[in-house]
Amino acid sequence: MRRAWGVFVAACLGASTAWAAPQRTPRPPLPLDTFEFGLYELDRPGRIALLRSLGYAGIVLPWPDPAKIGSYLALPAVREGRFKVDAVLVAVKDRFPNDHFGPVLDAMAGHVPQLWMSIEGVEGVALAEGIRAIARAASARHVTLVLYPHVDSSLPSAERTAELIRSARLDGVRLAINLVQEHKGGNRDRLPEVVRRTVALAGAVTLNGSETEDGLPNVDFSRTILPLDRGDFDVRKNLIEPLVLHGYRGIITLHTWNVKDAPADHLARSMDKWREMNRPVRRPR
């Protein structure tokens, strides 16, 4: 699905020239999506036009209703495959919905490959069984359920999420590795180890610029969700290189929650930084 990603990984790891693009051809960057956050002053065609002009491959829709999903899927660029709605993010609080997100999944079926789900206030057997029910509903519509860790939630980290998937045998369920949530959860300095321990189950990655020391409570992300060109945290070294070296091939999404800069400005800067980060990563000898 993401041929550019496969070509990049092969080139990065020193694969044969049968996989790598000829050197005379500029290597395309890894595909990068972004969240819809901060784009609301533009109409939906305008959002897609801006993102396409900057080089983004797709969008992730947070908490949409079925009509909103349908309106995106009806846009010519999406309908014709020139731009993707790669995921929808939903939230569970205290209990799982009786309809198992059926209307949302119906709108996604055959068009949006992933349902991302954060969960708060559900624990134990109810947590595992609720996830299992949603996963079955998603699978019936050819959608992959991706559990979205969030600090101070039922699934606060990628490692805790991986433990649950394995122990409860949640076959087909995947997880997201969220840079900001790992940072807030105390895993900033061990992010390469987190990747190594969870990448086999990862279906999505979110990233952004970040300050190494934010000194703020977990509800304040003003220093840990920044454009990629801001902050002193080395995203390439601590996240991109481990992902490439461990063979990750899934969706990568720029996190933009509460970024205050004008979207056209900060999204352009982040894409420029993303291209810079895409210089080859080589496995140590």
Side-chain angles (χ1 to χ4, degrees):
M1 181 177 66
R2 291 180 165 246
R3 184 173 178 275
W5 171 233
V7 170
F8 175 75
V9 172
C12 286
L13 300 185
S16 69
T17 54
W19 281 91
Q23 290 187 357
R24 65 179 180 275
T25 303
R27 175 180 48 76
L30 291 171
L32 183 65
D33 292 354
T34 188
F35 277 98
E36 187 191 33
F37 299 130
L39 294 170
Y40 304 122
E41 291 186 1
L42 298 172
D43 61 15
R44 288 165 192 164
R47 297 169 200 173
I48 300 305
L50 172 64
L51 295 176
R52 289 190 66 224
S53 74
L54 297 175
Y56 289 88
I59 195 168
V60 174
L61 306 180
W63 318 302
D65 58 36
K68 180 177 180 179
I69 297 170
S71 72
Y72 269 102
L73 296 177
L75 295 174
V78 178
R79 192 175 64 247
E80 297 165 7
R82 292 178 283 119
F83 191 82
K84 299 177 181 179
V85 179
D86 267 328
V88 164
L89 172 64
V90 296
V92 169
K93 184 172 176 60
D94 299 331
R95 65 180 182 84
F96 288 90
N98 293 330
D99 66 3
H100 301 150
F101 294 111
V104 169
L105 288 166
D106 286 340
M108 296 170 62
H111 302 286
V112 184
Q114 293 188 349
L115 178 72
W116 297 3
M117 183 169 68
S118 65
I119 307 169
E120 181 181 351
V122 186
E123 304 293 340
V125 174
L127 176 61
E129 291 309 308
I131 293 170
R132 198 184 315 278
I134 303 294
R136 287 173 179 159
S139 179
R141 297 163 173 87
H142 306 288
V143 174
T144 298
L145 177 62
V146 177
L147 300 179
Y148 188 89
H150 198 289
V151 70
D152 296 334
S153 75
S154 301
L155 300 171
S157 69
E159 287 171 304
R160 289 277 298 277
T161 305
E163 290 171 5
L164 176 65
I165 291 173
R166 291 173 175 135
S167 64
R169 298 183 179 180
L170 298 171
D171 297 339
V173 176
R174 294 292 178 260
L175 60 83
I177 301 172
N178 298 324
L179 186 155
V180 61
Q181 306 302 338
E182 298 300 325
H183 189 152
K184 284 291 192 179
N187 292 327
R188 179 198 69 201
D189 296 332
R190 51 184 300 274
L191 194 55
E193 181 183 357
V194 170
V195 171
R196 179 183 64 80
R197 290 167 56 91
T198 64
V199 70
L201 291 171
V205 169
T206 70
L207 49 73
N208 47 263
S210 181
E211 295 289 345
T212 302
E213 300 288 349
D214 69 296
L216 296 172
N218 285 347
V219 295
D220 189 336
F221 296 96
S222 60
R223 296 179 190 166
T224 48
I225 300 180
L226 301 170
L228 269 180
D229 67 327
R230 300 287 173 84
D232 61 353
F233 184 75
D234 193 334
V235 176
R236 175 186 160 90
K237 176 182 177 181
N238 291 289
L239 184 59
I240 300 303
E241 291 184 7
L243 287 169
V244 169
L245 294 175
H246 289 287
Y248 177 75
R249 292 174 177 261
I251 293 169
I252 301 178
T253 301
L254 177 70
H255 211 318
T256 55
W257 168 258
N258 210 32
V259 173
K260 302 299 186 183
D261 300 357
D265 179 36
H266 77 77
L267 289 169
R269 298 195 330 260
S270 286
M271 180 55 73
D272 287 345
K273 186 66 175 180
W274 180 244
R275 292 188 173 108
E276 178 186 323
M277 288 179 178
N278 271 241
R279 65 187 188 274
V281 178
R282 298 196 178 276
R283 189 187 300 276
R285 293 186 180 275

